[in-house]
Amino acid sequence: MEIRFQTKEESNRQQQEDFLKLSGAERVRSFLKLSERISRFPVKNRVDKNKDNFIIVIERKE
């Protein structure tokens, strides 16, 4: 692990340069991996999207 002391602007610029060095497929994989990591990030108030939903079932008469 490496520790660097830099400004936020320098850090953002370095991250952008590193990302742009990747090929198109590697960028997509990197984006999907980041999306997955974000979805697992712990939050205090997780909203249950299905809480107030209901299902209407219409049975076919044959």
Side-chain angles (χ1 to χ4, degrees), residues 4-13:
R4 286 189 247 169
F5 295 97
Q6 55 191 4
T7 65
K8 184 174 183 174
E9 292 79 17
E10 291 170 338
S11 175
N12 289 342
R13 186 173 47 253

Side-chain angles (χ1 to χ4, degrees), residues 11-55:
S11 175
N12 289 342
R13 186 173 47 253
Q14 182 64 45
Q15 287 177 15
Q16 184 178 18
E17 287 174 9
D18 292 344
F19 184 75
L20 293 175
K21 288 178 186 176
L22 300 174
S23 70
E26 290 173 322
R27 289 182 194 178
V28 171
R29 274 188 242 123
S30 175
F31 172 76
L32 294 175
K33 186 176 179 181
L34 176 62
S35 297
E36 181 184 353
R37 288 176 53 208
I38 288 173
S39 71
R40 289 186 278 143
F41 195 78
V43 294
K44 280 188 174 181
N45 300 326
R46 185 169 289 247
V47 177
D48 185 6
K49 294 179 183 178
N50 297 321
K51 178 182 172 193
D52 296 325
N53 291 347
F54 60 94
I55 299 173

